Amino acid sequence: MAVNTQIRSIFRSGLFSNKVAIVTGGGTGLGRAITQELLYLGCKVVIASRKVERLQTAADAMNASLPKDSTAAIQAVKCNIRQEEEVKSLMKTTVEKYGKIDFLVNNGGGQFPCPLSDISIKGWNAVIDTNLTGTFLCCREAFNAWMGEHGGAIVNIIVDLWKGFPMMGHTSAARAGIENLTKTAAVEWAPHGIRINSVAPGTVFGKEAAEHYGTEEIFKLAIPAIPAKRLGTPEEISAAVAFLLSPGAAYITGESIKVDGASSLYMPPGGYTVRDHKNMPAYKWETDDENEGGNNPGGPSSK
Ligand code: ADE
């Protein structure tokens, strides 16, 4: 796939010229948009993923597009974020290569659509391991390898999980865990000069995601449920990430920023629908009087 190297930034070029970042899943989709914005701002970026060939191809393309006088640099490192030793090695490689770790963006993750009742334990564990445990390991090891002594900034990519997420129960549970982990780490690590926040994208159109799902239609179906009446773009997410990493967010930590065109606040008819039923038990108490008790109009039989 051709790599879009046109990403620029609303922030001033050179803003991150002495900074070093790790972006997990930084070779594709949203992760690549984040990487390109950081590169544009002069950052040295280590991108990490399991699929090293695809990662290296993306790194080569982004490297080729860097201006000759840029302070930016990019390095691809193979890392399965589920594996503790590989995460330790990612941090060690970054410190050896660039001397420090200023920023960590936990973007790597994965899931598959499935109703809760059909998620196998293997599928559940895989999604929790990658998204929640992988993020925890990256945070902990960035802390141990560098940030605990020198400070830093972390951004975790989560999802629009505020009302639950039908068909995505495993990943929304994992990301809700990340949201809470973000708050704990913000408190525990403030004395270390570390800020940690989350970004929760709404529906973002990306060519790779459309290819993954085999259609662009599912993206268009989301538009009626978005008050902004359009999809988000990867650059609108990467801008929020860059802001949270920047000194402009120096007093923001433990926070989650929704970048969703207000979709999380709005629930029009026609989205995920719950079929009509009378199966929700009502609160009912024992009584001798038939006219007393927990009768509930529309509820199950009150006797
Ligand atoms: N992206 C999706 N799954 C991943 C994993 N296990 N490690 C790193 N990046 C990933």
Side-chain angles (χ1 to χ4, degrees):
M1 138 143 353
V3 172
N4 172 13
T5 53
Q6 299 308 308
I7 290 175
R8 298 282 182 261
S9 179
I10 194 77
F11 300 101
R12 78 170 159 78
S13 87
L15 180 65
F16 295 150
S17 63
N18 56 352
K19 299 296 184 189
V20 175
I22 295 172
V23 181
T24 63
T28 51
L30 194 51
R32 196 178 61 219
I34 294 165
T35 300
Q36 287 188 272
E37 178 144 6
L38 297 182
L39 290 171
Y40 178 80
L41 296 172
C43 198
K44 294 174 179 57
V45 185
V46 172
I47 57 174
S49 176
R50 272 179 314 170
K51 296 181 181 160
V52 73
E53 272 177 32
R54 198 168 62 168
L55 193 70
Q56 190 60 56
T57 304
D60 291 344
M62 288 190 268
N63 192 40
S65 73
L66 291 177
K68 291 271 170 295
D69 58 348
S70 174
T71 57
I74 182 159
Q75 172 82 31
V77 173
K78 182 178 180 306
C79 175
N80 181 347
I81 56 174
R82 295 190 208 174
Q83 301 297 331
E84 199 168 6
E85 290 312 313
E86 291 190 34
V87 173
K88 285 184 182 176
S89 167
L90 167 65
M91 303 301 160
K92 188 163 175 277
T93 304
T94 305
V95 174
E96 279 169 5
K97 170 104 185 142
Y98 294 125
K100 57 182 185 161
I101 309 167
D102 297 297
F103 304 147
L104 168 65
V105 181
N106 286 305
N107 163 78
Q111 55 276 317
F112 52 92
C114 193
L116 287 177
S117 51
D118 291 347
I119 300 177
S120 68
I121 191 64
K122 188 167 171 238
W124 174 268
N125 285 340
V127 172
I128 299 294
D129 276 358
T130 303
N131 295 284
L132 178 56
T133 310
T135 296
F136 162 67
L137 287 175
C138 289
C139 289
R140 190 192 71 188
E141 290 313 312
F143 180 95
N144 289 334
W146 184 263
M147 291 185 184
E149 274 190 37
H150 305 91
I154 301 173
V155 174
N156 298 318
I157 306 299
I158 55 171
V159 289
D160 178 355
L161 49 78
W162 322 104
K163 290 195 286 256
F165 201 155
M167 303 298 287
M168 290 285 185
H170 40 23
T171 202
S172 67
R175 314 273 183 151
I178 296 172
E179 207 235 344
N180 197 264
L181 176 73
T182 300
K183 292 175 183 170
T184 301
V187 174
E188 288 192 10
W189 293 351
H192 299 262
I194 298 170
R195 291 186 304 104
I196 176 166
N197 294 289
S198 298
V199 168
T203 309
V204 173
F205 180 76
K207 274 211 157 22
E208 276 160 281
E211 277 167 18
H212 175 73
Y213 291 111
T215 173
E216 294 190 1
E217 281 312 302
I218 52 165
F219 288 94
K220 292 190 188 141
L221 290 175
I223 293 174
I226 306 171
K229 293 295 165 190
R230 67 169 178 80
L231 300 170
T233 67
E235 297 76 31
E236 286 166 337
I237 308 304
S238 70
V241 173
F243 165 68
L244 286 172
L245 295 175
S246 81
Y251 204 49
I252 302 176
T253 188
E255 189 53 81
S256 294
I257 297 188
K258 299 169 191 168
V259 187
D260 66 0
S263 57
S264 55
L265 302 173
Y266 183 56
M267 180 69 107
Y272 180 88
T273 47
V274 179
R275 69 179 168 81
D276 283 341
H277 66 87
K278 289 188 179 288
N279 297 331
M280 184 62 69
Y283 174 51
K284 231 177 131 218
W285 57 94
E286 296 282 322
T287 171
D288 292 336
D289 184 343
E290 284 189 7
N291 296 321
E292 284 185 36
N295 292 338
N296 178 4
S301 164
S302 55
K303 277 229 83 179

